[in-house]
Amino acid sequence: MTTRKPLDRYRRIVIKIGSALLVDRKTGLKKAWLDAMCADIAGLKAKGADVLVVSSGAIALGRSVLDLPSGALKLEESQAAAAVGQISLARAWSESLSRDEIVAGQILLTLGDTEERRRYLNARATINQLLKIGAVPIINENDTVATSEIRYGDNDRLAARVATMTGADLLILLSDIDGLYTAPPHLDPKAEFLETIAEITPEIEAMAGGAASELSRGGMRTKIDAGKIATTSGCAMIIASGKTDSPLAAISNGARSSWFAPSGTPVTARKTWIAGQLQPAGELHVDDGAVTALGAGKSLLPAGVRKVTGVFSRGDTVAIIGPSGREIARGLVSYDAEDARQIVGRKSAEIEAILGYPGRTAMIHRDDMVMTSQVNSKSERQKKDTAHA
Ligand code: GLU
């Protein structure tokens, strides 16, 4: 199995950091640890990787700032603690990363931001833009507004959703646990450590106990859930201890950690999902130029679209039809049908003037598109010519 490879061989890495690593109950933020972590992140970025951080610690930090007594907090207390703690947390990340001249951008997500397609596209576009400009997104759940019914509840699964949303190829869960054991090690002295997990089988799931520490919500259970989300989308996952300084360097140097193999590639899993939509809500009829562009892996611009049919909303799956009438691709459309109709054949630069808002450059971004038949524009054209003959 080729799962274990140096961290700098991955191109997009999501790192989830548990509260206990960042926050000491008595002394508050662990600044030296954070600085060392940011230096590791800078090292990965210098090698060309995109790095995203899912940082817990808002509630723990707010608790420490507000000097709240230990024990369970009521919902509104933890929301208030998160509101106080998140400011300090984001500032700490921003300051530490700036030592290596890296810019941080804060993203606070609620469950609907990844589960509803429109909001998912929106959140993803923002995160992608941050990555494009070389920033490190610092992501957390928006705990101040999340209620018990509508929340991720733990940052392990949130981090996995972020990894799949951004097409990451590696998710690293850092906490005070160094990996997966065949049984909870503090309860069973015979528990064996598992270095590589090829597949998350029911047996593997059964090995995950429920334990979570007082500071964080996730235990091994949520880590295995995260593993299922990540690996089925082609993202490898590592569970490792973050208790030492520079845990990323330690993993690279062979520190004990559990590696979960991806079960597909990032591209195919998502694109399979798009291709698997049963009923495209509409059709975009495109010209030859667009067919050539799509065949070369480009996005579909409004300029290449000739006709729009059907009733659909932004984020719905639509079919892309070539000049010969053949479906050539499918994708998640960036505009509602009505707006799409208005910008047919127009340059992307004209979109704002026509619609009254800036909108996306592409009618369908290439990351949201899957080719459903082999195309090259010549064969398309030939078919059309034959049809006309
Ligand atoms: N979002 C929570 C916080 O920042 C942490 C959730 C978790 O520990 O998984 O405090």
Side-chain angles (χ1 to χ4, degrees):
M1 189 166 34
T2 55
T3 307
R4 276 177 189 260
K5 49 183 183 181
L7 296 188
D8 59 18
R9 300 266 293 280
Y10 291 90
R11 50 166 194 86
R12 187 166 281 184
I13 305 172
V14 176
I15 305 166
K16 182 263 171 172
I17 293 165
S19 301
L21 301 177
L22 267 172
V23 186
D24 182 276
R25 289 204 37 198
K26 294 210 174 71
T27 55
L29 187 83
K30 297 183 186 171
K31 179 91 172 65
W33 186 92
L34 180 60
D35 284 346
M37 168 56 66
C38 288
D40 276 4
I41 290 172
L44 289 174
K45 279 181 64 62
K47 294 259 173 73
D50 290 331
V51 179
L52 301 93
V53 173
V54 173
S55 175
S56 302
I59 297 173
L61 204 52
R63 231 187 149 120
S64 131
V65 173
L66 297 170
D67 216 4
L68 297 177
S70 55
L73 296 176
K74 290 199 213 99
L75 177 65
E76 60 274 22
E77 285 171 335
S78 59
Q79 287 175 322
V84 171
Q86 184 63 36
I87 284 189
S88 311
L89 187 64
R91 191 181 54 208
W93 275 105
S94 171
E95 279 174 8
S96 279
L97 284 167
S98 72
R99 289 156 49 103
D100 288 289
E101 281 161 31
I102 296 171
V103 172
Q106 174 184 258
I107 306 260
L108 297 177
L109 294 173
T110 39
L111 190 63
D113 294 322
T114 54
E115 304 311 295
E116 287 173 31
R117 253 183 314 180
R118 284 159 177 245
R119 286 164 65 185
Y120 167 95
L121 287 177
N122 205 27
R124 195 185 62 183
T126 311
I127 295 174
N128 280 339
Q129 185 61 25
L130 281 172
L131 295 173
K132 206 164 141 194
I133 58 176
V136 171
I138 305 294
I139 302 163
N140 197 359
E141 176 156 19
N142 193 351
D143 291 309
T144 56
V145 294
T147 60
S148 45
E149 307 83 55
I150 33 167
R151 68 182 315 143
Y152 301 95
D154 64 88
N155 277 0
D156 294 324
R157 289 178 310 134
L158 168 59
R161 293 296 277 147
V162 167
T164 59
M165 167 156 80
T166 55
D169 50 356
L170 179 63
L171 167 65
I172 306 177
L173 300 181
L174 294 177
S175 68
D176 47 9
I177 312 163
D178 57 2
L180 180 64
Y181 292 78
T182 50
H186 57 287
L187 300 177
D188 183 348
K190 288 206 269 330
E192 279 170 39
F193 187 80
L194 295 173
E195 290 207 337
T196 43
I197 295 93
E199 196 189 336
I200 300 178
T201 57
E203 291 74 38
I204 294 289
E205 288 187 54
M207 290 171 193
S213 74
E214 194 194 313
L215 280 177
S216 69
R217 297 210 185 92
M220 193 48 75
R221 170 87 268 142
T222 57
K223 290 180 176 49
I224 297 301
D225 286 346
K228 284 204 279 188
I229 296 168
T231 58
T232 50
S233 308
C235 180
M237 185 178 89
I238 300 173
I239 299 177
S241 167
K243 283 204 280 196
T244 55
D245 275 357
S246 302
L248 300 182
I251 295 170
S252 291
N253 294 329
R256 179 136 122 152
S257 48
S258 293
W259 293 58
F260 293 73
S263 58
T265 68
V267 171
T268 55
R270 186 147 54 121
K271 298 210 167 182
T272 307
W273 176 72
I274 294 171
Q277 301 284 302
L278 292 179
Q279 290 246 294
E283 293 178 344
L284 304 180
H285 295 260
V286 302
D287 63 19
D288 254 321
V291 174
T292 311
L294 301 192
K298 302 245 167 66
S299 297
L300 176 65
L301 302 178
V305 181
R306 286 181 167 166
K307 193 174 81 178
V308 172
T309 63
V311 180
F312 51 84
S313 302
R314 181 179 162 218
D316 284 347
T317 303
V318 296
I320 301 174
I321 312 292
S324 66
R326 193 164 60 121
E327 177 182 310
I328 55 170
R330 280 183 185 193
L332 307 181
V333 66
S334 311
Y335 290 92
D336 293 345
E338 218 172 285
D339 288 356
R341 278 190 188 96
Q342 290 193 60
I343 55 172
V344 156
R346 307 299 283 265
K347 293 209 174 64
S348 299
E350 297 175 291
I351 294 174
E352 183 162 11
I354 299 167
L355 298 180
Y357 63 89
R360 306 254 175 256
T361 315
M363 190 82 101
I364 298 183
H365 192 274
R366 62 195 175 121
D367 290 351
D368 299 326
M369 196 191 307
V370 56
M371 303 303 286
T372 47
S373 49
Q374 285 281 351
V375 275
N376 66 51
S377 65
K378 230 191 238 153
S379 66
E380 274 293 307
R381 218 173 290 131
Q382 270 160 7
K383 267 197 213 119
K384 195 173 83 180
D385 289 348
T386 326
H388 284 199

